C-alpha cells in the first residue's frame, strides 16, 4: 500500500528491488495526506515497478507524482464470494444493500436520500435498504437522520461478519463513494447475483459495463439514480440479463490472474 513506506525503507537499506502496490488516492478517498509529496515522488521513481489496482489510480499517480513505471492489475477475488441461484433466499419486494465503512466519503447519506425518493416513486413495491458497516459516530448520525426524516424500511446491520448470508437475500446494491480506487464490493455483489447501481465516478465505470453488467448513474445525482432504479425494477427481463452477464464477468476475477502476474514479476526480478 502506498500509505506505508516501511517496505521501501527496508528495500533501500538492503539494496533490494522494491515493488509498490498502489491501492488508494489518500486524501480523496481516505482523508489522509503524505508528509511530503515531493519525497514520495522520488520513492516511486526508485521502485522497479508500481502496480496500480485501476486505470484511474494509474492516471492519478502519473499526473500528480510523475510515475513512469507502472502496470494495472485488478484485484483477485476468492471464489467463496460466489452464491448460486439455488442458495438465494426468496422474498417479497426488493432488497437494496450498501456496504462499507460508515463515513461521508462512502456516500451512505446520499443513498438514504435517494432511497427515500425511490420509495415515494415506487409505492407499489415493497423496498428495503440494508446498510452494512460498523456503527460509529457517523453511523449514529445516519440513524438519527433516518428517524428525524421518518424514512421507513432502512435497516442498519452493523458489522456483518458473514456477508454471504446477508447477500443471499439482496437484489440490488449501491456504490456511491466519493472516489473509489477500485470497488471491491462491486465484484463481490456481482458474484452473489446482485445487480449493482454504481456512480460514474472513480474506478467504478472501469468495472461496470453500463446496462450489461450493472447500471451507472450520474455521481451524486439522486434523481438520475432513482430513474435508473425504477427503469430496472420495471423490467424483469433486464434484471435477469444483467445478473447473468455480471456473474459471468465477475467470475473472471476468481482465476487468480493478478497473483500469477505478480509472482511472474517477482520471479523475473529475482532471476535478473
Amino acid at each position: 500500500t502506498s500509505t506505508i513506506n516501511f517496505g521501501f525503507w527496508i528495500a533501500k537499506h538492503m539494496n533490494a528491488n522494491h515493488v509498490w502496490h498502489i491501492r488508494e488516492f489518500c486524501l480523496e478517498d481516505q482523508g489522509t495526506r503524505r508528509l511530503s509529496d515531493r519525497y514520495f515522488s522520488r520513492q516511486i521513481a526508485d521502485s522497479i515497478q508500481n502496480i496500480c489496482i485501476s486505470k484511474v489510480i494509474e492516471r492519478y499517480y502519473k499526473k500528480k507524482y510523475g510515475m513512469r513505471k507502472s502496470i494495472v492489475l485488478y484485484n483477485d477475488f476468492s471464489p467463496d464470494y460466489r452464491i448460486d441461484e439455488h442458495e438465494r433466499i426468496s422474498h417479497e419486494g426488493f432488497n437494496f444493500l450498501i456496504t462499507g465503512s460508515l463515513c461521508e466519503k462512502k456516500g451512505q447519506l446520499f443513498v438514504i436520500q435517494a432511497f427515500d425518493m425511490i420509495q415515494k416513486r415506487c409505492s407499489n413495491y415493497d423496498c428495503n435498504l440494508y446498510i452494512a458497516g460498523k456503527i460509529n459516530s457517523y453511523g449514529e448520525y445516519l440513524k438519527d437522520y433516518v428517524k428525524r426524516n421518518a424514512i421507513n424500511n432502512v435497516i442498519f446491520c452493523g458489522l456483518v461478519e458473514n456477508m454471504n448470508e446477508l447477500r443471499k437475500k439482496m437484489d440490488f446494491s449501491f456504490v456511491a463513494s466519493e472516489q473509489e480506487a477500485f470497488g471491491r464490493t462491486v465484484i463481490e455483489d456481482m458474484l452473489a447475483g446482485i445487480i449493482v447501481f454504481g456512480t460514474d465516478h472513480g474506478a467504478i465505470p472501469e468495472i461496470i459495463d453500463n446496462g450489461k453488467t450493472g447500471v451507472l448513474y450520474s455521481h451524486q445525482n439522486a434523481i438520475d439514480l432513482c430513474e435508473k432504479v425504477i427503469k430496472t425494477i420495471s423490467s424483469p427481463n433486464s434484471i435477469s440479463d444483467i445478473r447473468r452477464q455480471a456473474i459471468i464477468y465477475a467470475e473472471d476475477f476468481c482465476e487468480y490472474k493478478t497473483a500469477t502476474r505478480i509472482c511472474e514479476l517477482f520471479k523475473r526480478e529475482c532471476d535478473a
Side-chain angles (χ1 to χ4, degrees), residues 195-196 211-215 232 237-247:
I195 294 177
V196 183
K212 294 182 179 180
T213 61
V215 181
T232 303
N237 289 336
S238 176
I239 291 175
S240 298
D241 288 343
I242 294 174
R243 177 176 289 141
R244 177 179 52 80
Q245 292 183 81
I247 291 172

Side-chain angles (χ1 to χ4, degrees), residues 103-223:
C103 62
E104 290 185 44
K105 290 186 178 294
K106 287 296 184 181
Q108 285 96 353
L109 180 58
F110 165 77
V111 166
I112 290 170
Q113 293 167 340
F115 178 72
D116 187 31
M117 186 183 299
I118 291 166
Q119 285 200 106
K120 290 173 180 176
R121 293 277 304 275
C122 301
S123 57
N124 54 322
Y125 293 106
D126 179 19
C127 297
N128 299 285
L129 172 62
Y130 290 78
I131 300 176
K134 184 179 180 180
I135 302 298
N136 50 21
S137 58
Y138 189 69
E140 294 296 342
Y141 166 76
L142 293 175
K143 291 172 74 173
D144 182 63
Y145 179 90
V146 168
K147 183 177 180 180
R148 283 187 288 106
N149 290 276
I151 303 174
N152 298 321
N153 303 326
V154 177
I155 300 99
F156 288 88
C157 305
L159 180 63
V160 179
E161 296 193 3
N162 190 339
M163 281 300 301
N164 269 19
E165 285 303 312
L166 180 60
R167 285 187 167 112
K168 285 178 181 179
K169 60 180 180 181
M170 296 297 131
D171 303 290
F172 307 105
S173 68
F174 297 115
V175 177
S177 303
E178 186 62 32
Q179 188 76 308
E180 198 70 62
F182 176 73
R184 287 190 59 86
T185 61
V186 173
I187 303 300
E188 291 171 5
D189 288 343
M190 287 179 177
L191 288 169
I194 298 169
I195 294 177
V196 183
F197 291 91
T199 174
D200 62 355
H201 212 55
I204 303 305
E206 291 182 41
I207 54 178
I208 290 181
D209 189 350
N210 190 31
K212 294 182 179 180
T213 61
V215 181
L216 295 175
Y217 65 90
S218 299
H219 186 60
Q220 288 292 304
N221 188 329
I223 295 175

Side-chain angles (χ1 to χ4, degrees), residues 51-87:
I51 301 169
C52 300
I53 63 169
S54 65
K55 295 174 185 175
V56 70
I57 279 284
E58 183 182 49
R59 289 193 298 268
Y60 176 85
Y61 276 77
K62 282 183 175 181
K63 182 177 180 180
K64 186 170 183 177
Y65 299 105
M67 180 178 67
R68 297 185 300 276
K69 295 168 287 186
S70 63
I71 56 175
V72 174
L73 295 176
Y74 292 134
N75 286 327
D76 282 330
F77 286 79
S78 167
D80 292 342
Y81 285 109
R82 292 175 178 147
I83 296 177
D84 293 332
E85 185 63 31
H86 71 273
E87 297 179 273

